[in-house]
Amino acid sequence: MRSRIVGPAAGRTSGEWHMLHYIAPVGIGIAYALLMSLIREPHRQRVNALMIAGAGATYLSGGGMGVWEPAFSAVLVYVAYRGLDSWTFIGIGWLLHTAWDIVHHLNGHPILPFDHGSSLGCAICDPVIALWCFSGGRTPRELFRRAKRPATIQGQTA
C-alpha cells in the first residue's frame, strides 16, 4: 500500500523545500499590491473585490473538498460584495482564502495539480495582500506619506 505524501515534499523527488519557495510568494504579494496601486480609486477597490470573488472559485474545478468547494465560493462572493464598500472585507476575504489554501495543501489538493506546493505558496502570498488591503489598498506614496506625517497633539505639531 502506497502512502500519499502531502506537504512541501509532495511531488518532489529530492524532498527539498528551498527558501525560495517561501520568499517568492511574499514577493508576488508585494508585486500584486504595487501593480494594483497603479489603478486609481474607486476602481482599485472594485477590481480587488472582483479578484477576491474570483479567488473563491480557484479550487472549484478540483473538487477536492466536495460540497464545501461551492459553499466556500459562495462565502467569498458575499465577502467580495461587501468589499465593494470596504477594504477590510477584501482583506478578510484574502485571509479566508489563506485558510482554504492551507486546507487544500494539507489534504493534497493543490491549486495547480502539477505543483504540489502551489497552495502553500498561495497561503504565504495571500496574507501579504490582506495586509495591504487592511491598510486601505493605498499606493506606496500614500503609505509613506502617512508614515512620515508628524504626530499632532491637540491640533499642534509635536
Side-chain angles (χ1 to χ4, degrees), residues 124-136:
I124 295 168
C125 176
D126 291 352
V128 174
I129 299 170
L131 286 173
W132 175 69
C133 293
F134 288 134
S135 79

Side-chain angles (χ1 to χ4, degrees), residues 5-22 105 115-118 120:
I5 299 174
V6 296
R12 305 191 192 290
T13 55
S14 65
E16 295 180 20
W17 190 251
H18 300 282
M19 284 303 293
L20 185 59
H21 292 104
Y22 297 104
H105 177 71
D115 183 2
H116 293 286
S118 60
L120 178 61

Side-chain angles (χ1 to χ4, degrees), residues 34-132:
L34 290 173
L35 288 172
M36 283 292 168
S37 295
L38 298 175
I39 301 172
R40 292 186 182 193
E41 284 290 3
H43 305 296
R44 183 182 321 134
Q45 184 172 352
R46 292 179 187 143
V47 167
N48 277 278
L50 288 172
M51 292 296 288
I52 198 60
T58 55
Y59 289 104
L60 280 176
S61 66
M65 299 298 132
V67 298
W68 293 109
E69 299 289 0
F72 178 76
S73 185
V75 167
L76 276 195
V77 165
Y78 172 76
V79 170
Y81 174 73
R82 295 294 306 270
L84 289 170
D85 296 317
S86 169
W87 277 102
T88 300
F89 270 95
I90 298 170
I92 290 169
W94 284 113
L95 292 181
L96 288 171
H97 194 263
T98 299
W100 205 236
D101 289 328
I102 292 168
V103 167
H104 279 80
H105 177 71
L106 294 175
N107 285 295
H109 297 287
I111 290 176
L112 304 172
F114 55 86
D115 183 2
H116 293 286
S118 60
S119 290
L120 178 61
C122 195
I124 295 168
C125 176
D126 291 352
V128 174
I129 299 170
L131 286 173
W132 175 69

